Amino acid sequence: MFGDMMGMMSKLKETQQKVEETKKRMDTVLIDESSADGLLKITLTANREIKSISIADQLLKDKEQLEDYLVVTLNKAIAKASHVNETELAAVAKEGMPDIPGLDLFK
């Protein structure tokens, strides 16, 4: 019993380390999103840090339109990045979880 508990604790610690490594790796995974017409392009990491924004000159003439483009395109990019981030972290966490009867956290 005690050995099983030590093994589970060791596996949990190992999983925690893998989760931290995955979080760091997500800083290098880039997500690109563009407006439907390509006038606005955004790149951010899977950790949702904006890396670049490219705005076509014609959008600079209409502040309200630019704001609308930014809101829509940023929200789409953040949703994509969140999905990648959550999927990657869940995979690492599931892989490293010890088998505890009756505890199916990731099904």
Side-chain angles (χ1 to χ4, degrees):
M1 172 83 176
F2 187 68
D4 289 343
M5 184 65 111
M6 292 300 290
M8 279 193 274
M9 293 303 290
S10 175
K11 191 162 184 164
L12 286 172
K13 188 171 185 156
E14 182 182 313
T15 299
Q16 184 178 13
Q17 182 179 358
K18 285 182 179 180
V19 166
E20 291 304 316
E21 290 168 1
T22 300
K23 285 180 181 179
K24 287 179 185 173
R25 186 174 57 79
M26 292 294 99
D27 283 332
T28 65
V29 176
L30 299 179
I31 309 295
D32 294 314
E33 185 63 52
S34 299
S35 59
D37 56 11
L39 296 178
L40 178 68
K41 296 178 183 172
I42 296 172
T43 300
L44 68 158
T45 69
N47 280 329
R48 297 168 295 274
E49 179 181 334
I50 297 170
K51 290 296 187 178
S52 69
I53 297 176
S54 175
I55 303 169
D57 289 338
Q58 72 189 71
L59 283 179
L60 297 175
K61 298 171 187 164
D62 185 343
K63 180 180 181 272
E64 192 173 306
Q65 182 183 21
L66 174 56
E67 290 169 346
D68 290 343
Y69 269 63
L70 283 167
V71 167
V72 170
T73 308
L74 279 167
N75 282 333
K76 285 175 28 183
I78 291 168
K80 272 187 185 178
S82 293
H83 177 72
V84 169
N85 187 292
E86 292 165 7
T87 301
E88 290 290 322
L89 290 175
V92 169
K94 181 179 180 181
E95 171 187 309
M97 288 299 291
D99 291 330
I100 301 172
L103 188 63
D104 296 328
L105 295 175
F106 297 101
K107 285 191 176 186

